[in-house]
Amino acid sequence: KAGVTQTPRYLIKTRGQQVTLSCSPISGHRSVSWYQQTPGQGLQFLFEYFSETQRNKGNFPGRFSGRQFSNSRSEMNVSTLELGDSALYLCASSLDRGSAEQYFGPGTRLTVT
Amino acid sequence: GENVEQHPSTLSVQEGDSAVIKCTYSDSASNYFPWYKQELGKRPQLIIDIRSNVGEKKDQRIAVTLNKTAKHFSLHITETQPEDSAVYFCAASYNNNDMRFGAGTRLTVKP
């Protein structure tokens, strides 16, 4: 089985722009969660999607949004980028809600200049 | 919401020694506690997990213990090897939803 994939792997944007990141879960996995990883803040939960619905949301401003498609692929969008949004964005998939193991993708490294 | 604290932030041990990383959590409803290992430039990988109905779980050189009353859980690595060097994250969640991570422990195993 192919693992979790994320595109693009690297991205450079300027302040004020917006960005869309994509995550394809492991085949058959229906839950996708997104995390932001920075050296100073560690791994922070952004949101979780299941059955095309956002089920949980972390403490991030409304500039961060996401969605999930019927094939379980997920996208996250960040609008009006700020320098502090520079981070590694990781998605993780799991078989189902309440299913234990989460498997991470390689991440998208976003740099905002 | 859940808050997870992890200690120590850095840990250096000699090859062959044991390493222990400790985490505490705040939400008594949390029932799933995974540990992830992240090597430099790589994605976090699940190495072991424990559910709240179990007090201890072991997988070869790795073990995790959970004290629900005190709301803390620990990772134990025995007979450490240089390849164990990585950042380790603990996490807590209720049914794997809204997973909250500790700040990470950078483990260095000196040969």
Side-chain angles (χ1 to χ4, degrees), chain A residues 4 35 37 43 45 48 56 90 94 97-102 104-106, chain B residues 32 36 38 43-44 46 49 51 89 95-103:
Chain A
V4 180
Y35 299 88
Q37 187 173 31
L43 268 162
F45 172 76
E48 181 216 351
N56 282 294
L90 292 158
S94 60
R97 298 206 84 211
S99 173
E101 295 84 4
Q102 281 194 348
F104 281 88
Chain B
Y32 177 62
Y36 288 85
Q38 188 175 29
R43 71 190 77 185
L46 179 70
D49 57 11
R51 291 175 175 77
F89 293 95
N95 280 348
N96 200 36
N97 303 320
D98 192 3
M99 182 114 37
R100 301 296 170 130
F101 285 79

Side-chain angles (χ1 to χ4, degrees), chain B:
Chain B
E2 177 64 273
N3 182 49
V4 178
E5 294 193 356
Q6 183 172 346
H7 300 279
S9 56
T10 60
L11 180 59
S12 182
V13 299
Q14 209 64 38
E15 183 177 0
D17 288 350
S18 295
V20 180
I21 303 170
K22 298 182 179 182
C23 289
T24 60
Y25 61 100
S26 61
D27 189 349
S28 56
S30 289
N31 62 358
Y32 177 62
F33 308 92
W35 286 87
Y36 288 85
K37 174 184 179 182
Q38 188 175 29
E39 297 175 78
L40 191 63
K42 296 190 176 180
R43 71 190 77 185
Q45 293 205 305
L46 179 70
I47 56 171
I48 196 167
D49 57 11
I50 192 167
R51 291 175 175 77
S52 58
N53 59 346
V54 175
E56 184 174 358
K57 184 176 178 181
K58 190 173 181 181
D59 182 5
Q60 299 183 340
R61 297 186 296 110
I62 295 172
V64 57
T65 59
L66 171 66
N67 183 325
K68 284 174 55 180
T69 305
K71 289 190 280 189
H72 68 68
F73 55 113
S74 300
L75 177 71
H76 304 253
I77 306 174
T78 59
E79 300 171 24
T80 53
Q81 300 166 3
E83 50 266 37
D84 294 330
S85 296
V87 178
Y88 290 81
F89 293 95
C90 64
S93 70
Y94 173 70
N95 280 348
N96 200 36
N97 303 320
D98 192 3
M99 182 114 37
R100 301 296 170 130
F101 285 79
T105 296
R106 183 173 300 280
L107 173 65
T108 302
V109 180
K110 297 177 185 176

